[in-house]
Amino acid sequence: MNMIQSRSTPQSFILIVDDIPENLQVLGSILRTEGYRTTPVLDGKQALKVIEKRLPDLILLDIMMPEMNGFEVCTTLKASQHTRDIPIIFLTAKTETDDVVKGFELGAVDYVTKPFRKEELLARVKTHLSLQQAKQELQDLNATKDKFFSIIAHDLRGPFNGFLGLTEWMIDNIGEYTQDRIVELLQKQHHAAKTLFALLENLLAWSRIQRGIMEYIPEKVWFGSLVNDIVALFQATAEQKQITLSNSVPSKLVVYADQNMIETVIRNLISNALKFTDARGTIDVSVRDDGPTIEVSVSDTGVGMDQDGISKLFLIDAKYSRVGTAGERGTGLGLILCKELVEKHGGRIWVESEIGQGTCFRFTLPKSPPVEDSER
């Protein structure tokens, strides 16, 4: 199956490009002492090959190099949408105004002159890594804001309009309906209300996370019983779609988690599985014991996803939504919320799926508190 998983941001990676080995050794030693991960290369062409495989967080780039100088490397990187935002600090033995100005015109963020002064080098590196992080956080914030308003403008407005229209129609025509028809319409209203309520719960929880006010209270939780209660809540919906929904989690399994948060994760994953599983399909919740952690799986025999869809699932700024097998609509917010809640527990979440072969969401949870917590 295709697989993608969310990971925490690694330590800053700096690519050093200089045709003099002694300079690479000095720069690498200074940066590694401060905890940065570095890769040294001797020329521009080799640097581009490294960047094709792995994007650095910052590049220290010598100007005067044979074959392909620093200006040419910078021009190539800034011409690509994939690499244009990587901050570049030029390294040069020259201090002529023309070289400095040309470097800035090409898109460099700073320059450092040789011989290197440790304090100056580290100050500039730290400043531009911090600026890059702030820029990324601002982009994430804007994407979050856009997603929030999109849900309010479209995903809430649409269902409410349908709900209001149905109630108005019943008020105007209820005298013409049989009791069975009234029950059918009320069931539709009830389903619409449940969908709206679930969306509102996710929206409010997500909003609290973004504002940093969601309280995280981990404790020992009887995980098997928790999953069993949630599965019971979805049984009626599963039966309506003729789907077999089962819980294979041992009833006495204990995890260390915030119960409300984990309930939200399980509810969203089961709800998502129900949307994209056809009649006579199956959904199962299971666990694998990995010692200090457990790996929870919510698997289905549904329609599955291609790699493009998988890659967008946990991205707040990705425009990705699908219609369920019975016309159900989603916002993608539930999975983004799951990711944030799982990572709050120090876990990770990922998905394995193929078109027509079903989908399996997996995430990890701790079985006991961290050592520092348990010693308090």
Side-chain angles (χ1 to χ4, degrees):
M1 281 190 172
N2 295 322
M3 181 175 74
I4 188 170
Q5 65 187 44
S6 65
R7 298 179 185 270
S8 58
T9 303
Q11 197 174 20
S12 296
F13 164 49
I14 300 174
L15 178 64
I16 311 170
V17 190
D18 196 308
D19 63 332
I20 301 176
E22 290 79 5
N23 288 340
L24 293 177
Q25 186 176 3
V26 170
L27 289 168
S29 177
I30 292 173
L31 294 169
R32 287 192 297 273
T33 300
E34 295 299 314
Y36 297 114
R37 292 178 298 113
T38 65
T39 293
V41 295
L42 286 165
D43 60 70
K45 290 184 178 180
Q46 187 180 356
L48 294 179
K49 290 180 181 179
V50 170
I51 293 169
E52 281 182 4
K53 298 178 181 179
R54 182 184 181 193
L55 291 180
D57 297 297
L58 183 142
I59 302 172
L60 295 176
L61 180 60
D62 187 26
I63 292 180
M64 303 304 294
M65 295 185 294
E67 292 190 50
M68 189 176 195
N69 65 39
F71 292 144
E72 293 171 319
V73 174
C74 184
T75 299
T76 301
L77 294 175
K78 295 304 176 182
S80 170
Q81 184 175 0
H82 189 54
T83 57
R84 67 187 182 190
D85 290 330
I86 303 173
I88 296 173
I89 298 178
F90 274 127
L91 307 173
T92 179
K94 295 184 177 181
T95 56
E96 285 87 349
T97 304
D98 289 347
D99 282 340
V100 175
V101 171
K102 183 176 181 180
F104 285 131
E105 287 177 346
L106 291 175
V109 296
D110 211 338
Y111 72 97
V112 176
T113 57
K114 305 173 186 178
F116 308 113
R117 289 183 301 206
K118 177 180 177 181
E119 293 76 12
E120 178 188 3
L121 174 69
L122 290 174
R124 292 178 186 272
V125 166
K126 183 177 180 180
T127 294
H128 290 292
L129 285 173
S130 297
L131 288 173
Q132 186 70 2
Q133 182 180 357
K135 180 180 178 181
Q136 183 59 53
E137 289 174 352
L138 182 59
Q139 289 175 344
D140 292 343
L141 184 62
N142 284 333
T144 298
K145 178 199 67 178
D146 292 343
K147 185 74 173 180
F148 190 88
F149 287 129
S150 173
I151 291 169
I152 293 174
H154 302 288
D155 299 294
L156 278 178
R157 186 176 181 180
F160 265 118
N161 284 339
F163 187 82
L164 292 172
L166 183 59
T167 55
E168 289 174 3
W169 179 264
M170 286 190 65
I171 291 170
D172 293 339
N173 300 277
I174 194 167
E176 303 173 12
Y177 294 147
T178 63
Q179 186 171 353
D180 288 343
R181 178 60 173 159
I182 292 173
V183 170
E184 179 186 345
L185 291 172
L186 286 174
Q187 287 175 337
K188 289 182 177 180
Q189 284 184 321
H190 180 65
H191 178 73
K194 284 175 65 177
T195 301
L196 280 168
F197 182 70
L199 176 56
L200 282 170
E201 278 194 317
N202 280 345
L203 195 60
L204 291 172
W206 185 53
S207 174
R208 289 197 298 272
I209 290 176
Q210 302 311 311
R211 290 181 290 150
I213 62 172
M214 174 171 273
E215 198 170 9
Y216 172 59
I217 309 176
E219 59 184 345
K220 289 185 177 181
V221 175
W222 292 95
F223 189 68
S225 299
L226 179 147
V227 173
N228 198 56
D229 290 343
I230 296 172
V231 166
L233 291 174
F234 283 98
Q235 283 296 352
T237 302
E239 290 172 5
Q240 285 179 348
K241 292 192 71 173
Q242 301 177 50
I243 294 170
T244 301
L245 174 59
S246 60
N247 172 26
S248 301
V249 180
S251 60
K252 294 184 179 181
L253 178 65
V254 175
V255 297
Y256 184 73
D258 182 297
Q259 181 164 328
N260 291 330
M261 290 185 180
I262 296 307
E263 283 180 351
T264 299
V265 173
I266 299 295
R267 281 203 312 269
N268 273 286
L269 294 181
I270 292 178
S271 176
N272 193 71
L274 285 167
K275 286 179 186 176
F276 301 107
T277 301
D278 288 307
R280 292 176 294 281
T282 62
I283 299 170
D284 182 55
V285 185
S286 60
V287 298
R288 188 182 73 180
D289 195 326
D290 284 339
T293 64
I294 62 166
E295 180 183 289
V296 186
S297 300
V298 179
S299 59
D300 65 60
T301 58
V303 297
M305 290 175 284
D306 59 20
Q307 186 60 39
D308 181 62
I310 291 173
S311 66
K312 296 176 181 177
L313 282 181
F314 299 110
L315 301 178
I316 187 67
D317 56 348
K319 306 296 183 184
Y320 183 70
S321 62
R322 299 186 297 161
V323 177
T325 54
E328 306 99 324
R329 292 191 173 274
T331 64
L333 177 62
L335 294 178
I336 295 168
L337 180 61
C338 287
K339 175 180 180 292
E340 298 198 20
L341 294 179
V342 168
E343 290 180 349
K344 188 77 173 176
H345 289 76
R348 59 190 180 93
I349 184 169
W350 66 100
V351 58
E352 302 167 357
S353 186
E354 289 183 6
I355 293 291
Q357 300 298 313
T359 299
C360 182
F361 281 91
R362 303 182 191 274
F363 67 93
T364 58
L365 284 176
K367 290 166 59 178
S368 57
V371 175
E372 59 268 23
D373 288 353
S374 60
E375 291 178 348
R376 290 174 183 172

